[in-house]
Amino acid sequence: MKIMYIVHNVSGYGGVARSIISKVNYLADTFGNDVTLVVFHRYGEFLYKVSNKVRVINMDLNPYSAKNAQRLWVALKLRRRIKQAIDYIKPDIIVSLATCKETAWISKLKDASHKVLEVHGNYHFVMERKGLRGRLARNVVRKNIRHSDSFVVLTERDAELYRSHKIASPTVIANPLPFTPTSVDLQRKQKIVIAVGRLDYEKDFSALLRIWAKVSKKHPDWKLRILGDGRLKETLLHQAKDLGISYAVEITYKADMTAEYETASIQALTSLYEGLPMVLIEGSAYGIPAVAFNIDCGPSDVINDGVSGFLISDRNEDSFAEKLSLLIEDNELRRKFAEAAIVESKKFDINRVMNQWGNLFNAFFEG
């Protein structure tokens, strides 16, 4: 089976890049498919290793960095190059991103391939964006979904929203856990709470710092490590200083998260919105119970509330601080939650998830 995956860019770190590369590697290495990964552009080597069994085609065009006057020209050139790649390889299945306007034409392409769309953002972010650009983006997504052969979302809640708004009846396939720790030693855990993600608006680390200011007063021997990079780093550092918690907060970037997962005792997630947060899945595999705002999609698919972590009423910072403090203070509860988190992470085992993808693809050719 020839499978072509077309994405804008998976060069950097992040949940989308890791998920896509994990999937194409598995399709090629484990299922033995003929897999082509087409990227609009790349920055040097991929930070997540791509199997040498995966054919990589770099279009070397970045419509997002083009000036307004050149953007249409770049988009048309990109379309022509992608079409040439499709004509040459003749894939049986093409997978692309539902939200990428530069590839929306693929779902209507009259060739022999089956068209599969996947989306990594949640329904509200994709379909309820405000303003003119938001409305235009929604129209692109609706048409793209309508012409596709299959549409995949990450969570049951997302699927419910698409169905209730009569847009689509999606297939639900979660992101796979890209690794399985050989062992987890809970004795190595230290007095560390971690939070992982881009230092940007949607992760709302500002709320986490306010929460940590309340927690740290009672537990000054515990540290908060915010692991990520982005445009708000200096703003967050100043906020920590203003709150008087600089001594208990570190904001840094780590390419390899293994040591962080091995030593962290608790994970915090204060995002305004998510698709399906890979950091919660990865942390669970390492026995890290999480405290997270119960935003509409994502955390509730990973955290079993009161069993492997705590789901907090959205934006209730006092309740978040209270549950975080409870986990810090109760060693036995933290241990039980850690063990339960490891069990919960099995739902995202890559073999289980990729068998779902295999079943989806095979269904196109049955009967």
Side-chain angles (χ1 to χ4, degrees), residues 2 4 91-95 106 111-117 148-150 361 363-365:
K2 291 184 179 181
M4 178 178 284
D92 301 301
I93 294 171
I94 299 175
V95 185
I106 291 174
D111 68 336
S113 67
H114 296 274
K115 314 302 188 301
V116 179
L117 297 177
S148 68
D149 296 303
S150 188
F361 292 162
F364 291 132
F365 307 101

Side-chain angles (χ1 to χ4, degrees), residues 3-113:
I3 301 170
M4 178 178 284
Y5 232 106
I6 304 176
V7 296
H8 51 290
N9 176 33
V10 288
S11 296
Y13 285 103
V16 175
R18 188 162 199 165
S19 173
I20 289 173
I21 290 175
S22 295
K23 286 186 285 191
V24 297
N25 286 349
Y26 197 101
L27 289 167
D29 293 342
T30 306
F31 288 162
N33 297 122
D34 181 337
V35 180
T36 301
L37 176 63
V38 176
V39 296
F40 294 3
H41 62 106
R42 62 187 288 181
Y43 303 109
E45 295 300 315
F46 291 118
L47 298 182
Y48 298 116
K49 181 175 173 54
V50 177
S51 168
N52 57 17
K53 293 182 181 179
V54 175
R55 180 191 301 108
V56 178
I57 300 177
N58 175 22
M59 294 294 158
D60 198 24
L61 289 167
N62 185 0
Y64 309 115
S65 66
K67 296 178 180 178
N68 289 336
Q70 295 178 311
R71 190 162 296 176
L72 178 60
W73 178 84
V74 172
L76 291 173
K77 189 173 183 179
L78 181 63
R79 175 172 177 160
R80 186 169 64 252
R81 289 186 181 179
I82 292 174
K83 180 65 166 56
Q84 288 171 347
I86 293 171
D87 290 343
Y88 175 73
I89 292 170
K90 295 181 173 55
D92 301 301
I93 294 171
I94 299 175
V95 185
S96 59
L97 303 183
T99 54
C100 187
K101 62 182 182 296
E102 285 80 13
T103 54
W105 56 273
I106 291 174
S107 61
K108 294 185 287 185
L109 185 64
K110 302 300 182 183
D111 68 336
S113 67

